[in-house]
Amino acid sequence: MSIFEYNGSAVVAMVGKNCFAIASDRRLGVNLQTIATDFQRIYKIHDKLYIGLSGLATDAQTLYQRLVFRHKLYQLREERDMKPETFASLVSALLYEKRFGPYFCQPVIAGLDDDDVPFICTMDCLGAKELAKDFVVSGTASESLYGVCESMYKPNMESEELFETISQALLSSVDRDCLSGWGGHVLLVTPTEVVERTLKGRMD
Amino acid sequence: MGDSQYSFSLTTFSPSGKLVQIEHALMAVGSGQTSLGIKAANGVVIATEKKLPSILVDEASVQKIQLMTTNIGVVYSGMGPDSRVLVRKSRKQAQQYFRLYKEPIPVTQLVRETAAVMQEFTQSGGVRPFGVSLLVAGYDDNGPQLYQVDPSGSYFSWKASAMGKNVSNAKAFLEKRYTEDMELDDAVHTAILTLKEGFQGQISSKNIEIGIIGVDRKFRVLTPAEIDDYLAEVE
């Protein structure tokens, strides 16, 4: 089993009309044994910027701590929040620093920029950025996620419809992957509010 | 006050609480050629005298006003070679910032890092402070900005400022002439008039240098022909 499949994970982000949604599964496993069913993979950087980290859980946690550290210093120095594109460049640079001993994570970054235009991107464990206008996926369930998102996604969905779509996409993909699942965590971010919801799916 | 006994060492405070070497560095700045900067509502202008030691010097090859990034320019008063070192370091820092964040460095951040370099040289062994004060002019998301950085490493944001030989007259002139809603063109005229105040000899496009940045966010040094046009307008 590869190191990326050690803990199991599924993360997806989608762009809607002036909003975005980011979702993850809740299983934390050690190979085939399930250790936790409430594991948090999506972290807040600031009110309009979230990062989901799939892959090895310990690296995800450490990377998140480093990113929060960098962002807090940035906020103090520059007296403003980081733009999502800037943050994505920072994550990419931090990952590439470890080119020959990488963090085994695949981040999914989602945010609203200063004009409240949604921004999503993903990158591999070495920092190769992939910007997308519609959706980005990562984790052990990524192949299923690609398929489901491709067929279910429509541009310019309103927040409620976006929530339904991303939830269905996540649940049906993790059902086909034994290493991810045990419910879902969905965050829907609009310029005015953030709605966090927990999904109940097949608890296996 | 017994200060002179402490003036040899940069890293020793005098009893009166001064670092005498920094005072001396400021003297070096004060005897340098006049330079000034004015922040307008829609841009910034910086200007300096360009008195060359002899008519044999190829004045086109001398450029006192330099770019730190495409949207930040700088002029100095004091020792030219010291300013070159600072510009070199600041350019590198600006590019490192861009490499990390893929975003052009904000003017305040670059000024802060330049000032930090200058401060380092006031607290290390075996070095001397920089003998220059810099006027940094830039335009970023926070609008037009003008900063002065001193040899001690302190920096200030100015609406208009002058440094070098004629500083007190120039500042008094600027205080009278400055208005908040000045446009960039007016600011250039005011800059030329201020330089003219303390100028020895005939002012011309060959012995002053002017750099401007407007809403296009591209800093550029004016050509001698453009300076001639402004000079004609001022007459």
Side-chain angles (χ1 to χ4, degrees):
Chain A
M1 221 195 230
S2 121
I3 185 79
F4 290 101
E5 294 163 13
Y6 186 74
N7 294 126
S9 53
V11 181
V12 56
M14 276 192 189
V15 167
K17 191 165 180 198
N18 298 329
C19 62
F20 69 85
I22 182 166
S24 74
D25 72 323
R26 305 181 85 211
R27 177 182 178 273
L28 176 72
V30 168
N31 285 330
L32 295 178
Q33 183 177 25
T34 302
I35 304 292
T37 57
D38 58 357
F39 190 67
Q40 189 197 5
R41 284 201 170 82
I42 300 174
Y43 301 99
K44 176 170 126 166
I45 301 293
H46 63 73
D47 286 338
K48 293 206 241 169
L49 180 56
Y50 289 80
I51 181 167
L53 291 161
S54 67
L56 196 62
T58 176
D59 283 356
Q61 286 177 335
T62 306
L63 187 61
Y64 164 66
Q65 285 161 8
R66 281 190 72 190
L67 288 167
V68 156
F69 170 82
R70 296 297 295 257
H71 182 256
K72 281 190 182 164
L73 278 180
Y74 182 98
Q75 269 179 326
L76 286 167
R77 260 191 243 117
E78 305 217 9
E79 290 172 358
R80 62 186 174 125
D81 286 331
M82 240 192 236
K83 291 199 264 247
E85 294 89 344
T86 313
F87 183 70
S89 298
L90 175 66
V91 177
S92 175
L94 281 183
L95 290 172
Y96 195 82
E97 262 174 39
K98 301 271 189 232
R99 171 67 176 75
F100 299 108
Y103 289 114
F104 296 113
C105 292
Q106 277 135 318
V108 163
I109 295 161
L112 293 172
D113 73 11
D114 294 334
D115 307 316
D116 290 334
V117 173
F119 169 88
I120 53 170
C121 90
T122 184
M123 54 193 82
D124 69 2
C125 63
L126 297 177
K129 264 189 279 186
E130 187 203 309
L131 306 167
K133 294 204 176 57
D134 39 18
F135 57 86
V136 289
V137 306
S138 88
T140 48
S142 58
E143 282 163 359
S144 308
L145 277 166
Y146 272 125
V148 174
C149 288
E150 197 66 59
S151 44
M152 284 194 189
Y153 181 81
K154 287 190 325 258
N156 284 326
M157 282 186 277
E158 293 287 343
S159 54
E160 280 310 309
E161 205 193 338
L162 184 66
F163 169 72
E164 284 300 323
T165 311
I166 201 174
S167 307
Q168 289 297 341
L170 182 70
L171 288 177
S172 40
S173 304
V174 304
D175 284 349
R176 277 287 178 185
D177 176 28
C178 56
L179 296 170
S180 53
W182 280 94
H185 216 115
V186 184
L187 276 114
L188 229 193
V189 181
T190 64
T192 45
E193 56 166 6
V194 173
V195 184
E196 207 172 312
R197 283 181 261 226
T198 312
L199 303 172
K200 188 165 172 178
R202 276 184 64 105
M203 298 310 212
D204 65 357
Chain B
M1 213 231 115
D3 265 12
S4 53
Q5 289 177 300
Y6 296 88
S7 65
F8 66 94
S9 165
L10 168 61
T11 50
T12 309
F13 276 105
S14 73
S16 58
K18 288 193 266 188
L19 284 167
V20 192
Q21 278 296 304
I22 295 183
E23 308 284 319
H24 293 172
L26 286 163
M27 293 293 213
V29 171
S31 52
Q33 289 180 10
T34 315
S35 61
L36 56 93
I38 303 176
K39 182 168 74 174
N42 59 341
V44 192
V45 58
I46 48 179
T48 180
E49 284 180 7
K50 194 164 75 168
K51 283 264 184 58
L52 298 165
S54 144
I55 53 165
L56 293 174
V57 175
D58 178 6
E59 86 276 320
S61 71
V62 176
Q63 195 169 58
K64 291 178 74 176
I65 299 184
Q66 293 182 298
L67 265 85
M68 283 200 187
T69 67
T70 45
N71 64 325
I72 304 176
V74 63
V75 72
Y76 69 90
S77 273
M79 297 168 69
D82 283 8
S83 89
R84 279 203 299 275
V85 167
L86 284 168
V87 169
R88 199 182 167 82
K89 284 192 202 252
S90 304
R91 283 175 177 167
K92 192 169 178 188
Q93 275 160 343
Q95 289 310 313
Q96 275 169 348
Y97 183 100
F98 184 77
R99 204 168 153 233
L100 185 59
Y101 296 114
K102 296 289 183 292
E103 207 187 275
I105 189 169
V107 182
T108 345
Q109 300 303 313
L110 185 58
V111 166
R112 193 176 294 196
E113 302 213 13
T114 310
V117 169
M118 290 169 95
Q119 194 279 340
E120 257 174 58
F121 282 71
T122 68
Q123 211 177 6
S124 310
V127 297
R128 62 163 176 81
F130 287 95
V132 281
S133 279
L134 300 174
L135 269 175
V136 181
Y139 201 121
D140 64 10
D141 288 339
N142 295 334
Q145 287 160 82
L146 177 68
Y147 283 92
Q148 177 176 346
V149 195
D150 279 343
S152 58
S154 39
Y155 60 92
F156 317 90
S157 177
W158 290 92
K159 298 179 201 172
S161 179
M163 335 181 285
K165 254 189 254 171
N166 207 24
V167 63
S168 36
N169 284 346
K171 276 200 178 168
F173 190 87
L174 284 170
E175 268 173 39
K176 272 187 261 155
R177 284 280 187 138
Y178 182 81
T179 60
E180 297 277 339
D181 52 3
M182 222 179 219
E183 296 262 319
L184 190 54
D185 274 343
D186 302 326
V188 178
H189 291 140
T190 310
I192 292 177
L193 288 167
T194 318
L195 278 178
K196 240 179 146 189
E197 278 289 293
F199 208 86
Q200 283 157 338
Q202 176 71 343
I203 197 170
S204 83
S205 59
K206 287 206 194 349
N207 49 26
I208 61 170
E209 216 174 289
I210 302 181
I212 57 169
I213 180 164
V215 283
D216 61 353
R217 301 197 190 187
K218 289 215 167 15
F219 186 87
R220 62 189 192 84
V221 181
L222 296 181
T223 63
E226 287 170 311
I227 300 185
D228 276 326
D229 288 340
Y230 278 109
L231 280 170
E233 282 169 30
V234 159
E235 297 300 337

mmCIF file of all heavy atoms in Angstrom, chain B residues 105-141:
data_model
loop_
_atom_site.group_PDB
_atom_site.id
_atom_site.type_symbol
_atom_site.label_atom_id
_atom_site.label_comp_id
_atom_site.label_asym_id
_atom_site.label_seq_id
_atom_site.Cartn_x
_atom_site.Cartn_y
_atom_site.Cartn_z
ATOM 1 N N ILE B 105 5.813 43.010 -4.425
ATOM 2 C CA ILE B 105 5.967 43.376 -3.017
ATOM 3 C C ILE B 105 5.319 44.731 -2.745
ATOM 4 O O ILE B 105 5.475 45.669 -3.529
ATOM 5 C CB ILE B 105 7.473 43.388 -2.644
ATOM 6 C CG1 ILE B 105 7.647 43.543 -1.138
ATOM 7 C CG2 ILE B 105 8.233 44.450 -3.411
ATOM 8 C CD1 ILE B 105 9.062 43.290 -0.665
ATOM 9 N N PRO B 106 4.534 44.854 -1.675
ATOM 10 C CA PRO B 106 3.979 46.162 -1.327
ATOM 11 C C PRO B 106 5.101 47.125 -0.942
ATOM 12 O O PRO B 106 6.119 46.704 -0.399
ATOM 13 C CB PRO B 106 3.092 45.871 -0.111
ATOM 14 C CG PRO B 106 2.828 44.417 -0.151
ATOM 15 C CD PRO B 106 4.025 43.802 -0.788
ATOM 16 N N VAL B 107 4.906 48.414 -1.204
ATOM 17 C CA VAL B 107 5.959 49.407 -0.971
ATOM 18 C C VAL B 107 6.415 49.390 0.481
ATOM 19 O O VAL B 107 7.611 49.392 0.774
ATOM 20 C CB VAL B 107 5.473 50.824 -1.340
ATOM 21 C CG1 VAL B 107 6.584 51.830 -1.145
ATOM 22 C CG2 VAL B 107 4.997 50.865 -2.779
ATOM 23 N N THR B 108 5.437 49.318 1.409
ATOM 24 C CA THR B 108 5.788 49.340 2.835
ATOM 25 C C THR B 108 6.701 48.188 3.199
ATOM 26 O O THR B 108 7.641 48.342 3.985
ATOM 27 C CB THR B 108 4.536 49.190 3.720
ATOM 28 O OG1 THR B 108 3.403 49.429 2.934
ATOM 29 C CG2 THR B 108 4.581 50.122 4.891
ATOM 30 N N GLN B 109 6.419 47.001 2.638
ATOM 31 C CA GLN B 109 7.233 45.828 2.987
ATOM 32 C C GLN B 109 8.654 46.006 2.491
ATOM 33 O O GLN B 109 9.624 45.663 3.180
ATOM 34 C CB GLN B 109 6.625 44.556 2.393
ATOM 35 C CG GLN B 109 5.221 44.257 2.867
ATOM 36 C CD GLN B 109 5.142 44.155 4.366
ATOM 37 O OE1 GLN B 109 5.941 43.494 5.008
ATOM 38 N NE2 GLN B 109 4.175 44.839 4.956
ATOM 39 N N LEU B 110 8.826 46.529 1.266
ATOM 40 C CA LEU B 110 10.169 46.693 0.719
ATOM 41 C C LEU B 110 10.941 47.729 1.526
ATOM 42 O O LEU B 110 12.124 47.542 1.836
ATOM 43 C CB LEU B 110 10.106 47.107 -0.754
ATOM 44 C CG LEU B 110 11.453 47.180 -1.455
ATOM 45 C CD1 LEU B 110 12.161 45.848 -1.387
ATOM 46 C CD2 LEU B 110 11.287 47.593 -2.913
ATOM 47 N N VAL B 111 10.250 48.812 1.883
ATOM 48 C CA VAL B 111 10.914 49.846 2.679
ATOM 49 C C VAL B 111 11.348 49.258 4.013
ATOM 50 O O VAL B 111 12.457 49.502 4.493
ATOM 51 C CB VAL B 111 9.961 51.039 2.903
ATOM 52 C CG1 VAL B 111 10.479 51.961 3.978
ATOM 53 C CG2 VAL B 111 9.774 51.803 1.606
ATOM 54 N N ARG B 112 10.468 48.455 4.601
ATOM 55 C CA ARG B 112 10.783 47.841 5.893
ATOM 56 C C ARG B 112 12.031 46.968 5.789
ATOM 57 O O ARG B 112 12.909 46.987 6.647
ATOM 58 C CB ARG B 112 9.592 47.024 6.336
ATOM 59 C CG ARG B 112 9.637 46.591 7.768
ATOM 60 C CD ARG B 112 8.393 45.889 8.115
ATOM 61 N NE ARG B 112 7.245 46.795 8.078
ATOM 62 C CZ ARG B 112 6.082 46.524 8.628
ATOM 63 N NH1 ARG B 112 5.911 45.374 9.234
ATOM 64 N NH2 ARG B 112 5.103 47.371 8.559
ATOM 65 N N GLU B 113 12.113 46.182 4.723
ATOM 66 C CA GLU B 113 13.265 45.285 4.594
ATOM 67 C C GLU B 113 14.541 46.069 4.325
ATOM 68 O O GLU B 113 15.604 45.730 4.843
ATOM 69 C CB GLU B 113 13.007 44.280 3.461
ATOM 70 C CG GLU B 113 11.744 43.472 3.715
ATOM 71 C CD GLU B 113 11.794 42.054 3.196
ATOM 72 O OE1 GLU B 113 12.894 41.591 2.847
ATOM 73 O OE2 GLU B 113 10.736 41.425 3.141
ATOM 74 N N THR B 114 14.433 47.139 3.510
ATOM 75 C CA THR B 114 15.613 47.982 3.259
ATOM 76 C C THR B 114 16.077 48.613 4.561
ATOM 77 O O THR B 114 17.280 48.646 4.859
ATOM 78 C CB THR B 114 15.269 49.090 2.250
ATOM 79 O OG1 THR B 114 14.634 48.497 1.122
ATOM 80 C CG2 THR B 114 16.509 49.826 1.803
ATOM 81 N N ALA B 115 15.117 49.108 5.330
ATOM 82 C CA ALA B 115 15.471 49.734 6.610
ATOM 83 C C ALA B 115 16.123 48.721 7.536
ATOM 84 O O ALA B 115 17.050 49.056 8.289
ATOM 85 C CB ALA B 115 14.221 50.328 7.249
ATOM 86 N N ALA B 116 15.640 47.466 7.483
ATOM 87 C CA ALA B 116 16.223 46.428 8.340
ATOM 88 C C ALA B 116 17.685 46.185 7.974
ATOM 89 O O ALA B 116 18.524 45.981 8.855
ATOM 90 C CB ALA B 116 15.426 45.130 8.216
ATOM 91 N N VAL B 117 17.990 46.228 6.682
ATOM 92 C CA VAL B 117 19.385 46.070 6.251
ATOM 93 C C VAL B 117 20.230 47.209 6.812
ATOM 94 O O VAL B 117 21.320 47.000 7.349
ATOM 95 C CB VAL B 117 19.485 46.062 4.712
ATOM 96 C CG1 VAL B 117 20.926 46.173 4.266
ATOM 97 C CG2 VAL B 117 18.872 44.793 4.156
ATOM 98 N N MET B 118 19.697 48.433 6.701
ATOM 99 C CA MET B 118 20.461 49.581 7.191
ATOM 100 C C MET B 118 20.667 49.487 8.695
ATOM 101 O O MET B 118 21.736 49.837 9.199
ATOM 102 C CB MET B 118 19.750 50.882 6.807
ATOM 103 C CG MET B 118 19.823 51.125 5.303
ATOM 104 S SD MET B 118 18.777 52.447 4.742
ATOM 105 C CE MET B 118 19.933 53.782 4.742
ATOM 106 N N GLN B 119 19.664 48.976 9.405
ATOM 107 C CA GLN B 119 19.808 48.848 10.856
ATOM 108 C C GLN B 119 20.848 47.803 11.227
ATOM 109 O O GLN B 119 21.610 47.965 12.180
ATOM 110 C CB GLN B 119 18.450 48.470 11.464
ATOM 111 C CG GLN B 119 18.380 48.640 12.964
ATOM 112 C CD GLN B 119 18.995 47.473 13.722
ATOM 113 O OE1 GLN B 119 19.149 46.393 13.175
ATOM 114 N NE2 GLN B 119 19.379 47.711 14.953
ATOM 115 N N GLU B 120 20.885 46.711 10.412
ATOM 116 C CA GLU B 120 21.884 45.655 10.662
ATOM 117 C C GLU B 120 23.279 46.235 10.715
ATOM 118 O O GLU B 120 24.103 45.828 11.521
ATOM 119 C CB GLU B 120 21.866 44.668 9.491
ATOM 120 C CG GLU B 120 21.158 43.385 9.747
ATOM 121 C CD GLU B 120 21.091 42.563 8.476
ATOM 122 O OE1 GLU B 120 22.173 42.279 7.937
ATOM 123 O OE2 GLU B 120 19.979 42.277 8.042
ATOM 124 N N PHE B 121 23.539 47.201 9.811
ATOM 125 C CA PHE B 121 24.872 47.768 9.733
ATOM 126 C C PHE B 121 25.128 48.793 10.835
ATOM 127 O O PHE B 121 26.179 49.420 10.855
ATOM 128 C CB PHE B 121 25.100 48.396 8.348
ATOM 129 C CG PHE B 121 25.404 47.379 7.292
ATOM 130 C CD1 PHE B 121 24.410 46.517 6.837
ATOM 131 C CD2 PHE B 121 26.677 47.252 6.760
ATOM 132 C CE1 PHE B 121 24.669 45.556 5.879
ATOM 133 C CE2 PHE B 121 26.954 46.303 5.796
ATOM 134 C CZ PHE B 121 25.956 45.455 5.356
ATOM 135 N N THR B 122 24.160 48.965 11.735
ATOM 136 C CA THR B 122 24.425 49.804 12.897
ATOM 137 C C THR B 122 24.583 48.964 14.142
ATOM 138 O O THR B 122 24.768 49.489 15.235
ATOM 139 C CB THR B 122 23.275 50.806 13.159
ATOM 140 O OG1 THR B 122 22.114 50.091 13.582
ATOM 141 C CG2 THR B 122 22.953 51.621 11.929
ATOM 142 N N GLN B 123 24.519 47.641 13.976
ATOM 143 C CA GLN B 123 24.618 46.809 15.166
ATOM 144 C C GLN B 123 25.506 45.591 14.948
ATOM 145 O O GLN B 123 25.364 44.586 15.635
ATOM 146 C CB GLN B 123 23.207 46.363 15.581
ATOM 147 C CG GLN B 123 23.061 46.183 17.068
ATOM 148 C CD GLN B 123 21.652 45.802 17.483
ATOM 149 O OE1 GLN B 123 20.787 45.558 16.649
ATOM 150 N NE2 GLN B 123 21.430 45.755 18.775
ATOM 151 N N SER B 124 26.383 45.691 13.950
ATOM 152 C CA SER B 124 27.291 44.563 13.702
ATOM 153 C C SER B 124 28.728 44.998 13.916
ATOM 154 O O SER B 124 29.027 46.191 13.886
ATOM 155 C CB SER B 124 27.151 44.065 12.265
ATOM 156 O OG SER B 124 25.815 43.851 11.960
ATOM 157 N N GLY B 125 29.604 44.020 14.087
ATOM 158 C CA GLY B 125 31.005 44.342 14.299
ATOM 159 C C GLY B 125 31.728 44.551 12.986
ATOM 160 O O GLY B 125 31.488 43.851 12.015
ATOM 161 N N GLY B 126 32.609 45.542 12.979
ATOM 162 C CA GLY B 126 33.495 45.698 11.832
ATOM 163 C C GLY B 126 32.857 46.334 10.619
ATOM 164 O O GLY B 126 33.472 46.367 9.553
ATOM 165 N N VAL B 127 31.638 46.876 10.765
ATOM 166 C CA VAL B 127 31.027 47.548 9.618
ATOM 167 C C VAL B 127 30.716 48.986 10.013
ATOM 168 O O VAL B 127 30.741 49.344 11.184
ATOM 169 C CB VAL B 127 29.736 46.851 9.159
ATOM 170 C CG1 VAL B 127 30.038 45.451 8.696
ATOM 171 C CG2 VAL B 127 28.693 46.833 10.265
ATOM 172 N N ARG B 128 30.404 49.785 9.000
ATOM 173 C CA ARG B 128 29.996 51.161 9.276
ATOM 174 C C ARG B 128 28.582 51.362 8.730
ATOM 175 O O ARG B 128 28.160 50.614 7.857
ATOM 176 C CB ARG B 128 30.964 52.157 8.620
ATOM 177 C CG ARG B 128 31.003 52.054 7.109
ATOM 178 C CD ARG B 128 31.626 53.305 6.493
ATOM 179 N NE ARG B 128 31.757 53.174 5.049
ATOM 180 C CZ ARG B 128 30.772 53.386 4.189
ATOM 181 N NH1 ARG B 128 29.571 53.738 4.606
ATOM 182 N NH2 ARG B 128 30.995 53.261 2.877
ATOM 183 N N PRO B 129 27.849 52.375 9.236
ATOM 184 C CA PRO B 129 26.513 52.607 8.694
ATOM 185 C C PRO B 129 26.603 53.075 7.244
ATOM 186 O O PRO B 129 27.646 53.559 6.799
ATOM 187 C CB PRO B 129 25.943 53.724 9.575
ATOM 188 C CG PRO B 129 26.871 53.895 10.696
ATOM 189 C CD PRO B 129 28.183 53.339 10.303
ATOM 190 N N PHE B 130 25.486 52.934 6.531
ATOM 191 C CA PHE B 130 25.420 53.451 5.168
ATOM 192 C C PHE B 130 25.397 54.972 5.207
ATOM 193 O O PHE B 130 24.690 55.557 6.013
ATOM 194 C CB PHE B 130 24.146 52.953 4.478
ATOM 195 C CG PHE B 130 24.201 51.506 4.121
ATOM 196 C CD1 PHE B 130 23.660 50.555 4.980
ATOM 197 C CD2 PHE B 130 24.797 51.087 2.949
ATOM 198 C CE1 PHE B 130 23.718 49.212 4.660
ATOM 199 C CE2 PHE B 130 24.859 49.744 2.627
ATOM 200 C CZ PHE B 130 24.325 48.805 3.482
ATOM 201 N N GLY B 131 26.141 55.595 4.300
ATOM 202 C CA GLY B 131 26.183 57.058 4.287
ATOM 203 C C GLY B 131 25.154 57.632 3.339
ATOM 204 O O GLY B 131 25.450 58.591 2.598
ATOM 205 N N VAL B 132 23.954 57.076 3.316
ATOM 206 C CA VAL B 132 22.898 57.597 2.428
ATOM 207 C C VAL B 132 21.578 57.615 3.162
ATOM 208 O O VAL B 132 21.316 56.765 4.015
ATOM 209 C CB VAL B 132 22.688 56.739 1.165
ATOM 210 C CG1 VAL B 132 23.717 57.008 0.130
ATOM 211 C CG2 VAL B 132 22.604 55.278 1.508
ATOM 212 N N SER B 133 20.738 58.591 2.782
ATOM 213 C CA SER B 133 19.308 58.498 3.083
ATOM 214 C C SER B 133 18.623 58.268 1.747
ATOM 215 O O SER B 133 19.003 58.870 0.735
ATOM 216 C CB SER B 133 18.785 59.795 3.695
ATOM 217 O OG SER B 133 19.067 59.850 5.051
ATOM 218 N N LEU B 134 17.611 57.398 1.764
ATOM 219 C CA LEU B 134 16.917 57.074 0.526
ATOM 220 C C LEU B 134 15.518 57.673 0.536
ATOM 221 O O LEU B 134 14.872 57.715 1.581
ATOM 222 C CB LEU B 134 16.770 55.556 0.390
ATOM 223 C CG LEU B 134 18.037 54.733 0.356
ATOM 224 C CD1 LEU B 134 17.688 53.256 0.374
ATOM 225 C CD2 LEU B 134 18.845 55.028 -0.889
ATOM 226 N N LEU B 135 15.074 58.105 -0.626
ATOM 227 C CA LEU B 135 13.663 58.468 -0.794
ATOM 228 C C LEU B 135 13.071 57.426 -1.734
ATOM 229 O O LEU B 135 13.487 57.333 -2.891
ATOM 230 C CB LEU B 135 13.524 59.858 -1.412
ATOM 231 C CG LEU B 135 13.438 61.020 -0.447
ATOM 232 C CD1 LEU B 135 13.427 62.332 -1.205
ATOM 233 C CD2 LEU B 135 12.194 60.937 0.430
ATOM 234 N N VAL B 136 12.115 56.648 -1.221
ATOM 235 C CA VAL B 136 11.523 55.566 -2.001
ATOM 236 C C VAL B 136 10.136 55.989 -2.443
ATOM 237 O O VAL B 136 9.301 56.368 -1.612
ATOM 238 C CB VAL B 136 11.426 54.282 -1.148
ATOM 239 C CG1 VAL B 136 10.835 53.153 -1.953
ATOM 240 C CG2 VAL B 136 12.794 53.904 -0.625
ATOM 241 N N ALA B 137 9.893 55.940 -3.748
ATOM 242 C CA ALA B 137 8.598 56.343 -4.301
ATOM 243 C C ALA B 137 7.961 55.139 -4.970
ATOM 244 O O ALA B 137 8.610 54.478 -5.797
ATOM 245 C CB ALA B 137 8.791 57.453 -5.328
ATOM 246 N N GLY B 138 6.728 54.840 -4.616
ATOM 247 C CA GLY B 138 6.079 53.678 -5.221
ATOM 248 C C GLY B 138 4.586 53.852 -5.325
ATOM 249 O O GLY B 138 4.000 54.747 -4.709
ATOM 250 N N TYR B 139 3.990 52.968 -6.128
ATOM 251 C CA TYR B 139 2.529 52.991 -6.295
ATOM 252 C C TYR B 139 2.058 51.560 -6.235
ATOM 253 O O TYR B 139 2.435 50.753 -7.079
ATOM 254 C CB TYR B 139 2.166 53.603 -7.643
ATOM 255 C CG TYR B 139 0.749 54.135 -7.722
ATOM 256 C CD1 TYR B 139 0.521 55.469 -8.023
ATOM 257 C CD2 TYR B 139 -0.355 53.315 -7.498
ATOM 258 C CE1 TYR B 139 -0.772 55.977 -8.106
ATOM 259 C CE2 TYR B 139 -1.641 53.816 -7.566
ATOM 260 C CZ TYR B 139 -1.849 55.150 -7.869
ATOM 261 O OH TYR B 139 -3.128 55.664 -7.937
ATOM 262 N N ASP B 140 1.251 51.209 -5.212
ATOM 263 C CA ASP B 140 0.713 49.857 -5.153
ATOM 264 C C ASP B 140 -0.760 49.917 -4.782
ATOM 265 O O ASP B 140 -1.384 50.970 -4.927
ATOM 266 C CB ASP B 140 1.537 48.993 -4.174
ATOM 267 C CG ASP B 140 1.456 49.494 -2.744
ATOM 268 O OD1 ASP B 140 0.630 50.376 -2.447
ATOM 269 O OD2 ASP B 140 2.231 49.002 -1.902
ATOM 270 N N ASP B 141 -1.320 48.795 -4.291
ATOM 271 C CA ASP B 141 -2.740 48.772 -3.992
ATOM 272 C C ASP B 141 -3.160 49.794 -2.948
ATOM 273 O O ASP B 141 -4.335 50.129 -2.836
ATOM 274 C CB ASP B 141 -3.156 47.362 -3.522
ATOM 275 C CG ASP B 141 -3.149 46.374 -4.665
ATOM 276 O OD1 ASP B 141 -3.225 46.816 -5.825
ATOM 277 O OD2 ASP B 141 -3.052 45.158 -4.412
#
